[in-house]
Amino acid sequence: MDGSERVGLASSLFVPYAAYLRVYEPLAAFPEPERSHWYRYADRADLPGAQDELRRSLADLLPTPPVAVPVHESGDAFVTVVDGVTCVCPWRTRLRGWEALEALPELLPATVLDAALPPVVRRQAADDRERWRERNPDARPWIRTSTWHVPVRWFALFTEEEREYAQRAGEGEKAEGPVLRYRTPMVEARRRVARGLKVLREALSESPLIDGLEDVGRWLEEFHPRSLVELDYGGLVHTLGDDWLAGDCSAADVTEGLEALRAGDGVRAGEVYQRLMERWREVREREFAS
């Protein structure tokens, strides 16, 4: 099977395993000429989706040697309309590729990493990023990615009422979904981060949850206050059954856990946290299933 056939095969399949935290900013948040670019882009009738983005990135891994990071930055974005205001979430595939590349040594054994992406390829990508960073010191991604799970800290930004779940509809190539996502205004996301951090700091001397939520909070401060924040289970939904998805109430669990800590009920908070960890541990173990 040659490269074009593999790309064609990939385009007919869902790419699983990844969930996303995205920020959609209003067009007014972008300086010119980028604002005009996104204004024209949002008016297109053939806007690509999340799976299109992933398939394009996978296609870069087919050449020999593989293209670790795209040579050019993507001019694509996700688009949505919030209260009549068009908002976009730029893919920034090149920037996110560099960030993912930096994290790989912690995820893969050295022998596996060298086989997948030879050291010379990684060194070239690192050199390219340093030159790019000098010209773009304030750049940040609009999208954060997590494979094989949704980080608990992400759920602190949302409430159960903001949960949107739709089962798979249709058959064959016309099948759509399932979809599981949360959406909330930026002002609400920031307020919940602040409240969550206050509770955690008062109840715990130190915790990875505090560090993680602080990091998310700093990231959110980079964006326009009228932005939309979205947690999308993405391709992860295709590895989970409808019963699991319908019964998942992780955002409600995080809310319950924080309320328990606020009330000084450490036992109940611990039970909720354990329930969350067990639910997502089962999902993460699928990464290593044959």
Side-chain angles (χ1 to χ4, degrees), residues 19-53:
Y20 309 92
L21 189 63
R22 303 188 183 106
V23 173
Y24 293 78
E25 285 196 284
L27 293 175
F30 296 89
E32 292 290 1
E34 190 175 8
R35 183 187 307 169
S36 294
H37 165 75
W38 293 130
Y39 181 84
R40 293 188 299 270
Y41 181 91
D43 199 39
R44 287 172 47 180
D46 58 340
L47 292 172
Q51 290 296 315
D52 296 305
E53 180 203 11

PDB file of all heavy atoms in Angstrom, residues 19-53:
ATOM      1  N   ALA A  19      -8.684  13.873  23.085  1.00  0.00           N
ATOM      2  CA  ALA A  19      -9.699  14.828  23.516  1.00  0.00           C
ATOM      3  C   ALA A  19      -9.072  16.213  23.520  1.00  0.00           C
ATOM      4  O   ALA A  19      -7.837  16.352  23.553  1.00  0.00           O
ATOM      5  CB  ALA A  19     -10.215  14.464  24.907  1.00  0.00           C
ATOM      6  N   TYR A  20      -9.905  17.262  23.518  1.00  0.00           N
ATOM      7  CA  TYR A  20      -9.389  18.616  23.306  1.00  0.00           C
ATOM      8  C   TYR A  20     -10.046  19.640  24.230  1.00  0.00           C
ATOM      9  O   TYR A  20     -11.241  19.560  24.533  1.00  0.00           O
ATOM     10  CB  TYR A  20      -9.635  19.060  21.862  1.00  0.00           C
ATOM     11  CG  TYR A  20      -9.154  18.062  20.852  1.00  0.00           C
ATOM     12  CD1 TYR A  20     -10.006  17.087  20.352  1.00  0.00           C
ATOM     13  CD2 TYR A  20      -7.827  18.061  20.427  1.00  0.00           C
ATOM     14  CE1 TYR A  20      -9.564  16.147  19.439  1.00  0.00           C
ATOM     15  CE2 TYR A  20      -7.375  17.124  19.514  1.00  0.00           C
ATOM     16  CZ  TYR A  20      -8.249  16.160  19.024  1.00  0.00           C
ATOM     17  OH  TYR A  20      -7.803  15.222  18.132  1.00  0.00           O
ATOM     18  N   LEU A  21      -9.246  20.616  24.635  1.00  0.00           N
ATOM     19  CA  LEU A  21      -9.745  21.818  25.293  1.00  0.00           C
ATOM     20  C   LEU A  21      -9.461  22.963  24.334  1.00  0.00           C
ATOM     21  O   LEU A  21      -8.295  23.223  23.996  1.00  0.00           O
ATOM     22  CB  LEU A  21      -9.043  22.034  26.628  1.00  0.00           C
ATOM     23  CG  LEU A  21      -9.613  23.139  27.523  1.00  0.00           C
ATOM     24  CD1 LEU A  21     -11.040  22.811  27.937  1.00  0.00           C
ATOM     25  CD2 LEU A  21      -8.731  23.335  28.755  1.00  0.00           C
ATOM     26  N   ARG A  22     -10.509  23.645  23.870  1.00  0.00           N
ATOM     27  CA  ARG A  22     -10.362  24.667  22.834  1.00  0.00           C
ATOM     28  C   ARG A  22     -10.899  26.012  23.305  1.00  0.00           C
ATOM     29  O   ARG A  22     -11.815  26.077  24.127  1.00  0.00           O
ATOM     30  CB  ARG A  22     -11.115  24.270  21.563  1.00  0.00           C
ATOM     31  CG  ARG A  22     -10.719  22.928  20.956  1.00  0.00           C
ATOM     32  CD  ARG A  22     -11.400  22.739  19.605  1.00  0.00           C
ATOM     33  NE  ARG A  22     -11.115  21.445  19.010  1.00  0.00           N
ATOM     34  CZ  ARG A  22     -11.976  20.431  18.940  1.00  0.00           C
ATOM     35  NH1 ARG A  22     -13.204  20.594  19.415  1.00  0.00           N
ATOM     36  NH2 ARG A  22     -11.630  19.288  18.390  1.00  0.00           N
ATOM     37  N   VAL A  23     -10.335  27.064  22.736  1.00  0.00           N
ATOM     38  CA  VAL A  23     -10.837  28.415  22.951  1.00  0.00           C
ATOM     39  C   VAL A  23     -11.194  29.013  21.594  1.00  0.00           C
ATOM     40  O   VAL A  23     -10.372  29.022  20.670  1.00  0.00           O
ATOM     41  CB  VAL A  23      -9.797  29.308  23.651  1.00  0.00           C
ATOM     42  CG1 VAL A  23     -10.290  30.755  23.696  1.00  0.00           C
ATOM     43  CG2 VAL A  23      -9.526  28.813  25.069  1.00  0.00           C
ATOM     44  N   TYR A  24     -12.431  29.482  21.478  1.00  0.00           N
ATOM     45  CA  TYR A  24     -12.896  30.182  20.276  1.00  0.00           C
ATOM     46  C   TYR A  24     -12.943  31.674  20.606  1.00  0.00           C
ATOM     47  O   TYR A  24     -13.671  32.093  21.507  1.00  0.00           O
ATOM     48  CB  TYR A  24     -14.304  29.722  19.897  1.00  0.00           C
ATOM     49  CG  TYR A  24     -14.419  28.290  19.437  1.00  0.00           C
ATOM     50  CD1 TYR A  24     -14.408  27.235  20.349  1.00  0.00           C
ATOM     51  CD2 TYR A  24     -14.580  27.984  18.086  1.00  0.00           C
ATOM     52  CE1 TYR A  24     -14.539  25.915  19.926  1.00  0.00           C
ATOM     53  CE2 TYR A  24     -14.717  26.673  17.655  1.00  0.00           C
ATOM     54  CZ  TYR A  24     -14.701  25.648  18.580  1.00  0.00           C
ATOM     55  OH  TYR A  24     -14.845  24.340  18.167  1.00  0.00           O
ATOM     56  N   GLU A  25     -12.174  32.463  19.863  1.00  0.00           N
ATOM     57  CA  GLU A  25     -12.150  33.903  20.108  1.00  0.00           C
ATOM     58  C   GLU A  25     -12.983  34.646  19.066  1.00  0.00           C
ATOM     59  O   GLU A  25     -13.002  34.269  17.887  1.00  0.00           O
ATOM     60  CB  GLU A  25     -10.717  34.424  20.060  1.00  0.00           C
ATOM     61  CG  GLU A  25      -9.893  34.067  21.279  1.00  0.00           C
ATOM     62  CD  GLU A  25      -8.630  34.906  21.362  1.00  0.00           C
ATOM     63  OE1 GLU A  25      -7.691  34.626  20.599  1.00  0.00           O
ATOM     64  OE2 GLU A  25      -8.585  35.837  22.187  1.00  0.00           O
ATOM     65  N   PRO A  26     -13.628  35.760  19.459  1.00  0.00           N
ATOM     66  CA  PRO A  26     -14.364  36.566  18.466  1.00  0.00           C
ATOM     67  C   PRO A  26     -13.383  37.198  17.486  1.00  0.00           C
ATOM     68  O   PRO A  26     -12.212  37.434  17.798  1.00  0.00           O
ATOM     69  CB  PRO A  26     -15.060  37.627  19.325  1.00  0.00           C
ATOM     70  CG  PRO A  26     -14.260  37.683  20.588  1.00  0.00           C
ATOM     71  CD  PRO A  26     -13.736  36.299  20.825  1.00  0.00           C
ATOM     72  N   LEU A  27     -13.873  37.465  16.286  1.00  0.00           N
ATOM     73  CA  LEU A  27     -13.006  38.027  15.248  1.00  0.00           C
ATOM     74  C   LEU A  27     -12.344  39.323  15.700  1.00  0.00           C
ATOM     75  O   LEU A  27     -11.213  39.620  15.294  1.00  0.00           O
ATOM     76  CB  LEU A  27     -13.825  38.277  13.980  1.00  0.00           C
ATOM     77  CG  LEU A  27     -14.354  37.025  13.265  1.00  0.00           C
ATOM     78  CD1 LEU A  27     -15.244  37.427  12.097  1.00  0.00           C
ATOM     79  CD2 LEU A  27     -13.207  36.150  12.789  1.00  0.00           C
ATOM     80  N   ALA A  28     -13.023  40.083  16.553  1.00  0.00           N
ATOM     81  CA  ALA A  28     -12.473  41.362  17.006  1.00  0.00           C
ATOM     82  C   ALA A  28     -11.189  41.190  17.812  1.00  0.00           C
ATOM     83  O   ALA A  28     -10.429  42.148  17.985  1.00  0.00           O
ATOM     84  CB  ALA A  28     -13.509  42.099  17.852  1.00  0.00           C
ATOM     85  N   ALA A  29     -10.925  39.967  18.302  1.00  0.00           N
ATOM     86  CA  ALA A  29      -9.736  39.728  19.118  1.00  0.00           C
ATOM     87  C   ALA A  29      -8.465  39.637  18.281  1.00  0.00           C
ATOM     88  O   ALA A  29      -7.359  39.719  18.823  1.00  0.00           O
ATOM     89  CB  ALA A  29      -9.912  38.445  19.924  1.00  0.00           C
ATOM     90  N   PHE A  30      -8.615  39.483  16.972  1.00  0.00           N
ATOM     91  CA  PHE A  30      -7.455  39.274  16.106  1.00  0.00           C
ATOM     92  C   PHE A  30      -7.029  40.574  15.435  1.00  0.00           C
ATOM     93  O   PHE A  30      -7.873  41.339  14.969  1.00  0.00           O
ATOM     94  CB  PHE A  30      -7.776  38.230  15.034  1.00  0.00           C
ATOM     95  CG  PHE A  30      -8.062  36.872  15.590  1.00  0.00           C
ATOM     96  CD1 PHE A  30      -9.357  36.502  15.948  1.00  0.00           C
ATOM     97  CD2 PHE A  30      -7.046  35.948  15.775  1.00  0.00           C
ATOM     98  CE1 PHE A  30      -9.631  35.250  16.476  1.00  0.00           C
ATOM     99  CE2 PHE A  30      -7.304  34.692  16.306  1.00  0.00           C
ATOM    100  CZ  PHE A  30      -8.601  34.352  16.659  1.00  0.00           C
ATOM    101  N   PRO A  31      -5.727  40.829  15.360  1.00  0.00           N
ATOM    102  CA  PRO A  31      -5.239  42.015  14.659  1.00  0.00           C
ATOM    103  C   PRO A  31      -5.304  41.808  13.149  1.00  0.00           C
ATOM    104  O   PRO A  31      -5.373  40.674  12.670  1.00  0.00           O
ATOM    105  CB  PRO A  31      -3.779  42.119  15.137  1.00  0.00           C
ATOM    106  CG  PRO A  31      -3.378  40.697  15.403  1.00  0.00           C
ATOM    107  CD  PRO A  31      -4.615  40.035  15.948  1.00  0.00           C
ATOM    108  N   GLU A  32      -5.281  42.872  12.422  1.00  0.00           N
ATOM    109  CA  GLU A  32      -5.183  42.787  10.963  1.00  0.00           C
ATOM    110  C   GLU A  32      -3.741  42.447  10.576  1.00  0.00           C
ATOM    111  O   GLU A  32      -2.800  42.817  11.283  1.00  0.00           O
ATOM    112  CB  GLU A  32      -5.610  44.111  10.316  1.00  0.00           C
ATOM    113  CG  GLU A  32      -7.074  44.433  10.460  1.00  0.00           C
ATOM    114  CD  GLU A  32      -7.967  43.519   9.634  1.00  0.00           C
ATOM    115  OE1 GLU A  32      -7.456  42.616   8.959  1.00  0.00           O
ATOM    116  OE2 GLU A  32      -9.193  43.730   9.673  1.00  0.00           O
ATOM    117  N   PRO A  33      -3.533  41.705   9.500  1.00  0.00           N
ATOM    118  CA  PRO A  33      -4.525  41.240   8.515  1.00  0.00           C
ATOM    119  C   PRO A  33      -5.171  39.900   8.876  1.00  0.00           C
ATOM    120  O   PRO A  33      -5.990  39.376   8.118  1.00  0.00           O
ATOM    121  CB  PRO A  33      -3.686  41.094   7.246  1.00  0.00           C
ATOM    122  CG  PRO A  33      -2.342  40.681   7.756  1.00  0.00           C
ATOM    123  CD  PRO A  33      -2.136  41.419   9.052  1.00  0.00           C
ATOM    124  N   GLU A  34      -4.817  39.343  10.058  1.00  0.00           N
ATOM    125  CA  GLU A  34      -5.366  38.035  10.430  1.00  0.00           C
ATOM    126  C   GLU A  34      -6.874  38.080  10.580  1.00  0.00           C
ATOM    127  O   GLU A  34      -7.586  37.144  10.209  1.00  0.00           O
ATOM    128  CB  GLU A  34      -4.723  37.547  11.732  1.00  0.00           C
ATOM    129  CG  GLU A  34      -5.046  36.093  12.057  1.00  0.00           C
ATOM    130  CD  GLU A  34      -4.304  35.598  13.293  1.00  0.00           C
ATOM    131  OE1 GLU A  34      -3.659  36.427  13.971  1.00  0.00           O
ATOM    132  OE2 GLU A  34      -4.388  34.402  13.566  1.00  0.00           O
ATOM    133  N   ARG A  35      -7.398  39.190  11.088  1.00  0.00           N
ATOM    134  CA  ARG A  35      -8.843  39.297  11.277  1.00  0.00           C
ATOM    135  C   ARG A  35      -9.575  39.146   9.946  1.00  0.00           C
ATOM    136  O   ARG A  35     -10.587  38.428   9.854  1.00  0.00           O
ATOM    137  CB  ARG A  35      -9.195  40.633  11.918  1.00  0.00           C
ATOM    138  CG  ARG A  35     -10.685  40.802  12.210  1.00  0.00           C
ATOM    139  CD  ARG A  35     -10.976  42.207  12.689  1.00  0.00           C
ATOM    140  NE  ARG A  35     -10.109  42.577  13.810  1.00  0.00           N
ATOM    141  CZ  ARG A  35     -10.007  43.818  14.288  1.00  0.00           C
ATOM    142  NH1 ARG A  35     -10.711  44.800  13.744  1.00  0.00           N
ATOM    143  NH2 ARG A  35      -9.205  44.079  15.294  1.00  0.00           N
ATOM    144  N   SER A  36      -9.076  39.815   8.911  1.00  0.00           N
ATOM    145  CA  SER A  36      -9.716  39.718   7.600  1.00  0.00           C
ATOM    146  C   SER A  36      -9.627  38.297   7.045  1.00  0.00           C
ATOM    147  O   SER A  36     -10.559  37.809   6.398  1.00  0.00           O
ATOM    148  CB  SER A  36      -9.067  40.704   6.631  1.00  0.00           C
ATOM    149  OG  SER A  36      -9.316  42.034   7.027  1.00  0.00           O
ATOM    150  N   HIS A  37      -8.493  37.648   7.300  1.00  0.00           N
ATOM    151  CA  HIS A  37      -8.342  36.254   6.850  1.00  0.00           C
ATOM    152  C   HIS A  37      -9.418  35.393   7.475  1.00  0.00           C
ATOM    153  O   HIS A  37     -10.095  34.624   6.778  1.00  0.00           O
ATOM    154  CB  HIS A  37      -6.963  35.721   7.220  1.00  0.00           C
ATOM    155  CG  HIS A  37      -6.859  34.222   7.122  1.00  0.00           C
ATOM    156  ND1 HIS A  37      -6.766  33.565   5.914  1.00  0.00           N
ATOM    157  CD2 HIS A  37      -6.857  33.253   8.085  1.00  0.00           C
ATOM    158  CE1 HIS A  37      -6.703  32.251   6.128  1.00  0.00           C
ATOM    159  NE2 HIS A  37      -6.764  32.047   7.437  1.00  0.00           N
ATOM    160  N   TRP A  38      -9.609  35.488   8.798  1.00  0.00           N
ATOM    161  CA  TRP A  38     -10.597  34.644   9.472  1.00  0.00           C
ATOM    162  C   TRP A  38     -12.025  35.043   9.090  1.00  0.00           C
ATOM    163  O   TRP A  38     -12.919  34.185   9.044  1.00  0.00           O
ATOM    164  CB  TRP A  38     -10.407  34.719  10.979  1.00  0.00           C
ATOM    165  CG  TRP A  38      -9.137  34.110  11.483  1.00  0.00           C
ATOM    166  CD1 TRP A  38      -8.233  34.674  12.327  1.00  0.00           C
ATOM    167  CD2 TRP A  38      -8.615  32.815  11.159  1.00  0.00           C
ATOM    168  NE1 TRP A  38      -7.190  33.823  12.560  1.00  0.00           N
ATOM    169  CE2 TRP A  38      -7.394  32.671  11.863  1.00  0.00           C
ATOM    170  CE3 TRP A  38      -9.057  31.760  10.354  1.00  0.00           C
ATOM    171  CZ2 TRP A  38      -6.618  31.515  11.777  1.00  0.00           C
ATOM    172  CZ3 TRP A  38      -8.281  30.610  10.258  1.00  0.00           C
ATOM    173  CH2 TRP A  38      -7.081  30.497  10.970  1.00  0.00           C
ATOM    174  N   TYR A  39     -12.241  36.331   8.805  1.00  0.00           N
ATOM    175  CA  TYR A  39     -13.577  36.763   8.370  1.00  0.00           C
ATOM    176  C   TYR A  39     -13.946  36.082   7.060  1.00  0.00           C
ATOM    177  O   TYR A  39     -15.055  35.545   6.911  1.00  0.00           O
ATOM    178  CB  TYR A  39     -13.598  38.284   8.217  1.00  0.00           C
ATOM    179  CG  TYR A  39     -14.942  38.830   7.792  1.00  0.00           C
ATOM    180  CD1 TYR A  39     -15.943  39.089   8.722  1.00  0.00           C
ATOM    181  CD2 TYR A  39     -15.214  39.076   6.440  1.00  0.00           C
ATOM    182  CE1 TYR A  39     -17.174  39.584   8.333  1.00  0.00           C
ATOM    183  CE2 TYR A  39     -16.439  39.566   6.038  1.00  0.00           C
ATOM    184  CZ  TYR A  39     -17.416  39.821   6.986  1.00  0.00           C
ATOM    185  OH  TYR A  39     -18.648  40.293   6.588  1.00  0.00           O
ATOM    186  N   ARG A  40     -13.008  36.056   6.118  1.00  0.00           N
ATOM    187  CA  ARG A  40     -13.264  35.392   4.838  1.00  0.00           C
ATOM    188  C   ARG A  40     -13.362  33.884   5.028  1.00  0.00           C
ATOM    189  O   ARG A  40     -14.211  33.219   4.424  1.00  0.00           O
ATOM    190  CB  ARG A  40     -12.161  35.729   3.835  1.00  0.00           C
ATOM    191  CG  ARG A  40     -12.127  37.187   3.404  1.00  0.00           C
ATOM    192  CD  ARG A  40     -11.133  37.391   2.262  1.00  0.00           C
ATOM    193  NE  ARG A  40      -9.778  37.040   2.657  1.00  0.00           N
ATOM    194  CZ  ARG A  40      -8.916  37.914   3.187  1.00  0.00           C
ATOM    195  NH1 ARG A  40      -9.277  39.173   3.376  1.00  0.00           N
ATOM    196  NH2 ARG A  40      -7.691  37.526   3.510  1.00  0.00           N
ATOM    197  N   TYR A  41     -12.504  33.354   5.863  1.00  0.00           N
ATOM    198  CA  TYR A  41     -12.469  31.912   6.102  1.00  0.00           C
ATOM    199  C   TYR A  41     -13.790  31.415   6.698  1.00  0.00           C
ATOM    200  O   TYR A  41     -14.330  30.381   6.281  1.00  0.00           O
ATOM    201  CB  TYR A  41     -11.317  31.595   7.054  1.00  0.00           C
ATOM    202  CG  TYR A  41     -11.150  30.124   7.360  1.00  0.00           C
ATOM    203  CD1 TYR A  41     -10.315  29.322   6.594  1.00  0.00           C
ATOM    204  CD2 TYR A  41     -11.825  29.536   8.436  1.00  0.00           C
ATOM    205  CE1 TYR A  41     -10.165  27.965   6.876  1.00  0.00           C
ATOM    206  CE2 TYR A  41     -11.676  28.192   8.721  1.00  0.00           C
ATOM    207  CZ  TYR A  41     -10.845  27.410   7.941  1.00  0.00           C
ATOM    208  OH  TYR A  41     -10.701  26.075   8.225  1.00  0.00           O
ATOM    209  N   ALA A  42     -14.321  32.133   7.666  1.00  0.00           N
ATOM    210  CA  ALA A  42     -15.541  31.709   8.348  1.00  0.00           C
ATOM    211  C   ALA A  42     -16.745  31.684   7.425  1.00  0.00           C
ATOM    212  O   ALA A  42     -17.758  31.026   7.729  1.00  0.00           O
ATOM    213  CB  ALA A  42     -15.821  32.629   9.538  1.00  0.00           C
ATOM    214  N   ASP A  43     -16.642  32.376   6.282  1.00  0.00           N
ATOM    215  CA  ASP A  43     -17.758  32.440   5.335  1.00  0.00           C
ATOM    216  C   ASP A  43     -17.754  31.271   4.355  1.00  0.00           C
ATOM    217  O   ASP A  43     -18.639  31.151   3.521  1.00  0.00           O
ATOM    218  CB  ASP A  43     -17.689  33.761   4.563  1.00  0.00           C
ATOM    219  CG  ASP A  43     -19.014  34.111   3.917  1.00  0.00           C
ATOM    220  OD1 ASP A  43     -20.066  33.885   4.548  1.00  0.00           O
ATOM    221  OD2 ASP A  43     -19.009  34.599   2.767  1.00  0.00           O
ATOM    222  N   ARG A  44     -16.753  30.383   4.481  1.00  0.00           N
ATOM    223  CA  ARG A  44     -16.658  29.232   3.582  1.00  0.00           C
ATOM    224  C   ARG A  44     -17.778  28.234   3.856  1.00  0.00           C
ATOM    225  O   ARG A  44     -18.269  28.108   4.979  1.00  0.00           O
ATOM    226  CB  ARG A  44     -15.314  28.520   3.767  1.00  0.00           C
ATOM    227  CG  ARG A  44     -14.136  29.271   3.204  1.00  0.00           C
ATOM    228  CD  ARG A  44     -12.833  28.609   3.583  1.00  0.00           C
ATOM    229  NE  ARG A  44     -12.841  27.162   3.374  1.00  0.00           N
ATOM    230  CZ  ARG A  44     -11.814  26.372   3.633  1.00  0.00           C
ATOM    231  NH1 ARG A  44     -10.698  26.881   4.148  1.00  0.00           N
ATOM    232  NH2 ARG A  44     -11.886  25.082   3.407  1.00  0.00           N
ATOM    233  N   ALA A  45     -18.156  27.502   2.822  1.00  0.00           N
ATOM    234  CA  ALA A  45     -19.201  26.487   2.975  1.00  0.00           C
ATOM    235  C   ALA A  45     -18.622  25.117   3.289  1.00  0.00           C
ATOM    236  O   ALA A  45     -19.356  24.205   3.682  1.00  0.00           O
ATOM    237  CB  ALA A  45     -20.042  26.409   1.700  1.00  0.00           C
ATOM    238  N   ASP A  46     -17.312  24.948   3.123  1.00  0.00           N
ATOM    239  CA  ASP A  46     -16.687  23.635   3.283  1.00  0.00           C
ATOM    240  C   ASP A  46     -15.681  23.633   4.425  1.00  0.00           C
ATOM    241  O   ASP A  46     -14.546  23.185   4.281  1.00  0.00           O
ATOM    242  CB  ASP A  46     -15.988  23.217   1.990  1.00  0.00           C
ATOM    243  CG  ASP A  46     -14.922  24.229   1.559  1.00  0.00           C
ATOM    244  OD1 ASP A  46     -14.993  25.390   2.029  1.00  0.00           O
ATOM    245  OD2 ASP A  46     -14.026  23.855   0.778  1.00  0.00           O
ATOM    246  N   LEU A  47     -16.084  24.122   5.571  1.00  0.00           N
ATOM    247  CA  LEU A  47     -15.167  24.202   6.704  1.00  0.00           C
ATOM    248  C   LEU A  47     -14.772  22.804   7.186  1.00  0.00           C
ATOM    249  O   LEU A  47     -15.628  21.929   7.348  1.00  0.00           O
ATOM    250  CB  LEU A  47     -15.822  24.967   7.853  1.00  0.00           C
ATOM    251  CG  LEU A  47     -16.069  26.459   7.607  1.00  0.00           C
ATOM    252  CD1 LEU A  47     -16.903  27.047   8.730  1.00  0.00           C
ATOM    253  CD2 LEU A  47     -14.754  27.196   7.477  1.00  0.00           C
ATOM    254  N   PRO A  48     -13.480  22.568   7.422  1.00  0.00           N
ATOM    255  CA  PRO A  48     -13.036  21.252   7.883  1.00  0.00           C
ATOM    256  C   PRO A  48     -13.372  21.031   9.349  1.00  0.00           C
ATOM    257  O   PRO A  48     -13.607  21.980  10.104  1.00  0.00           O
ATOM    258  CB  PRO A  48     -11.519  21.314   7.664  1.00  0.00           C
ATOM    259  CG  PRO A  48     -11.196  22.763   7.802  1.00  0.00           C
ATOM    260  CD  PRO A  48     -12.370  23.504   7.214  1.00  0.00           C
ATOM    261  N   GLY A  49     -13.378  19.751   9.753  1.00  0.00           N
ATOM    262  CA  GLY A  49     -13.668  19.408  11.138  1.00  0.00           C
ATOM    263  C   GLY A  49     -12.448  18.840  11.840  1.00  0.00           C
ATOM    264  O   GLY A  49     -11.349  18.794  11.284  1.00  0.00           O
ATOM    265  N   ALA A  50     -12.657  18.371  13.069  1.00  0.00           N
ATOM    266  CA  ALA A  50     -11.555  17.878  13.893  1.00  0.00           C
ATOM    267  C   ALA A  50     -10.870  16.671  13.264  1.00  0.00           C
ATOM    268  O   ALA A  50      -9.643  16.533  13.314  1.00  0.00           O
ATOM    269  CB  ALA A  50     -12.068  17.534  15.283  1.00  0.00           C
ATOM    270  N   GLN A  51     -11.648  15.772  12.675  1.00  0.00           N
ATOM    271  CA  GLN A  51     -11.038  14.596  12.076  1.00  0.00           C
ATOM    272  C   GLN A  51     -10.189  14.972  10.863  1.00  0.00           C
ATOM    273  O   GLN A  51      -9.163  14.353  10.601  1.00  0.00           O
ATOM    274  CB  GLN A  51     -12.122  13.592  11.681  1.00  0.00           C
ATOM    275  CG  GLN A  51     -12.804  12.924  12.874  1.00  0.00           C
ATOM    276  CD  GLN A  51     -11.851  12.078  13.687  1.00  0.00           C
ATOM    277  OE1 GLN A  51     -11.069  11.313  13.114  1.00  0.00           O
ATOM    278  NE2 GLN A  51     -11.897  12.191  14.997  1.00  0.00           N
ATOM    279  N   ASP A  52     -10.596  16.006  10.134  1.00  0.00           N
ATOM    280  CA  ASP A  52      -9.783  16.470   9.001  1.00  0.00           C
ATOM    281  C   ASP A  52      -8.427  16.951   9.479  1.00  0.00           C
ATOM    282  O   ASP A  52      -7.395  16.670   8.864  1.00  0.00           O
ATOM    283  CB  ASP A  52     -10.507  17.613   8.269  1.00  0.00           C
ATOM    284  CG  ASP A  52     -11.808  17.167   7.648  1.00  0.00           C
ATOM    285  OD1 ASP A  52     -11.795  16.203   6.872  1.00  0.00           O
ATOM    286  OD2 ASP A  52     -12.850  17.770   7.958  1.00  0.00           O
ATOM    287  N   GLU A  53      -8.420  17.665  10.599  1.00  0.00           N
ATOM    288  CA  GLU A  53      -7.153  18.146  11.142  1.00  0.00           C
ATOM    289  C   GLU A  53      -6.230  16.982  11.504  1.00  0.00           C
ATOM    290  O   GLU A  53      -5.034  16.978  11.179  1.00  0.00           O
ATOM    291  CB  GLU A  53      -7.411  18.998  12.384  1.00  0.00           C
ATOM    292  CG  GLU A  53      -6.137  19.537  13.024  1.00  0.00           C
ATOM    293  CD  GLU A  53      -6.327  19.890  14.482  1.00  0.00           C
ATOM    294  OE1 GLU A  53      -7.363  19.526  15.064  1.00  0.00           O
ATOM    295  OE2 GLU A  53      -5.407  20.517  15.035  1.00  0.00           O
TER     296      GLU A  53
END
